[in-house]
Structure formats: structure tokens, C-alpha cells
Amino acid sequence: MIAIISDVHGNLPALKAVLEKIDALGCETIISLGDVVGYYAQPGECVDLLRDRGVVNILGNHDHYIVSGEGCPRSKLVSDITEYQRGIISPEQVAWLAQSRSHIIDGSTYFIHGGWQDPVDQYLYAIAETDIPAGAQTFFAGHTHVQVLLDVNGKTFCNPGAVGQPRDGDPRAAFATFEDGHIELRRVEYDIDETAFHMKEARFPARCYENLYIGAQIGGRIDKITLAV
């Protein structure tokens, strides 16, 4: 059984809860669809947990910000958080992020962070058959923080959801498992108060973590993924 995680975003309590559940399920392999860092206060600890387990990570946009030294083109707040994380993450942890893959192809199963047109930063909210790579029967993508499993004209699209910042109205940490062609969407409760505590200690405003309690974006927007019309 393979566990697919995505968008940990420095949320250590959420990652620990998900890994505990993954271990209980007996998963042999973990694939991370990226964004181990970003948003929350313990990015280095999250990198260490995944690195020590031999997890293969696919580069996400927040991982890219840390590795490249760039900021987020869409959000000053995200850029400020990224700058804070650069000050607390070690060179060894950055090096682990830097060796992240752009994508993974295993037979007819494809894994990516964003989308096939832009692996790092394409948001897939309305899924069309053209969004699924030509050689893929099963396509896993992260980035939107919305957990979903869709049949797209006989092909399968799955976003495992976000470990560290769900945006689909369910505050529980999300991931998926994959075994013998069967995908199971899974959720795990975790201690959001602990994540909020570390953000307060780092002196971030409450709006940076209040969204966790309702499973939303910063600012309170709840998202969904649908089939394209």
C-alpha cells in the first residue's frame, strides 16, 4: 500500500497525526506531492520527518520559494512567511528540498504537485480529460488543498487533499492510500491548538492560523474541485 500526502506546509502536529495513521495502515511507501514547507511554524521538523523516512518529495511552489530564494508572486503574506522560514530552516533541510522531483511516473500512474502544464504552480479546480497526461490512467495532483476522487471519462483523478492546511471545509488532515488500483481518501484529526500555539510563538497574526479550525484558506474561503463542464 502506498500513502500519498501533499501540502504539509510546516504543520508538524498534522504531519505527525497523518504519519501515525499511515503506520497503523501498514503503508510500505510514502510519496509527497510537495509543499512540505510554507504557511506554518515548523518547516524544518517536517522536512526531517520525511527525510528520515526516505520519503520521495515532488517540488511544490512553496518548496521552490525556499530553494530559489524567491517570494510568492501572489501574496506578500506568503512571502513574509517564507522569509521567516528561511531564517529557521537549515542548509541540510534546504538541500533535501532541492533534490525534490518534478514529477513521478510509475507505469500509467502519474504524480505531480500542480498540473502537467505547470508542475509547480498550476491549480486544477475544474478537471477536464485534457488535464490528465496522455499516458496516465491514474493522475495524482496536489496544490489546491482540496481532497477529491473523480472519474474523468474512464481515467482517475485524485487530489489527496492537504495535510497541513485543508481548504475543503473539513479541518482534519487529509491524505490518500493506493493499493492494487484502489484509492481510498482518508482524514485524521490533529491538535490544531498546538499548531496555533507555535504560530503565536513565532508572532504571526491570528488570521494565519484561524482558518485551520474551519478547513479554509487564510481569509476563510472554502474551495472545491469539480469536473469541467
Side-chain angles (χ1 to χ4, degrees):
M1 183 187 296
I2 299 172
I4 301 99
I5 65 173
S6 191
D7 298 284
V8 173
H9 283 304
N11 188 337
L12 186 62
L15 178 58
K16 284 183 173 179
V18 165
L19 290 176
E20 182 178 347
K21 181 63 174 178
I22 286 171
D23 289 342
L25 291 168
C27 296
E28 300 90 5
T29 303
I30 303 172
I31 294 174
S32 168
L33 301 185
D35 277 357
V36 179
V37 299
Y39 286 117
Y40 299 108
Q42 295 175 285
E45 292 91 335
C46 292
V47 167
D48 287 345
L49 269 182
L50 299 185
R51 179 187 62 191
D52 292 348
R53 285 172 169 257
V55 172
V56 175
N57 185 57
I58 294 170
L59 189 76
N61 57 307
H62 288 257
D63 303 330
H64 169 73
Y65 302 151
I66 290 290
V67 169
S68 67
E70 298 174 7
C72 175
R74 293 183 293 272
S75 170
K76 182 180 183 302
L77 176 61
V78 169
S79 293
D80 289 345
I81 293 172
T82 301
E83 192 60 33
Y84 168 78
Q85 292 191 347
R86 286 195 190 102
I88 61 173
I89 199 168
S90 72
E92 294 78 16
Q93 291 160 346
V94 174
W96 184 83
L97 290 172
Q99 55 80 51
S100 298
R101 305 270 295 273
S102 62
H103 63 276
I104 295 171
I105 299 175
D106 182 9
S108 62
T109 303
Y110 287 44
F111 304 85
I112 208 159
H113 177 70
W116 211 245
Q117 295 179 355
D118 183 347
V120 172
D121 208 16
Q122 181 184 1
Y123 287 96
L124 297 177
Y125 287 113
I127 311 301
E129 189 172 2
T130 53
D131 292 316
I132 299 177
Q137 183 62 37
T138 304
F139 185 37
F140 289 94
H143 195 38
T144 62
H145 300 210
V146 176
Q147 188 180 65
V148 73
L149 180 62
L150 295 173
D151 180 281
V152 188
N153 293 332
K155 296 185 176 183
T156 300
F157 174 83
C158 179
N159 189 314
V163 171
Q165 192 195 79
R167 297 178 180 174
D168 53 7
D170 185 338
R172 295 175 298 167
F175 71 105
T177 54
F178 187 46
E179 183 176 33
D180 298 329
H182 176 71
I183 299 170
E184 186 80 24
L185 302 180
R186 301 184 184 272
R187 306 298 287 233
V188 180
E189 292 185 356
Y190 73 97
D191 189 350
I192 298 175
D193 288 340
E194 183 179 349
T195 304
F197 169 80
H198 288 288
M199 289 295 282
K200 292 173 188 176
E201 288 285 292
R203 302 187 177 223
F204 281 100
R207 69 189 181 99
C208 289
Y209 52 83
E210 287 176 338
N211 55 305
L212 293 177
Y213 291 93
I214 60 170
Q217 286 198 30
I218 291 174
R221 192 182 89 186
I222 293 172
D223 294 327
K224 64 180 179 179
I225 293 175
T226 61
L227 289 171
V229 177

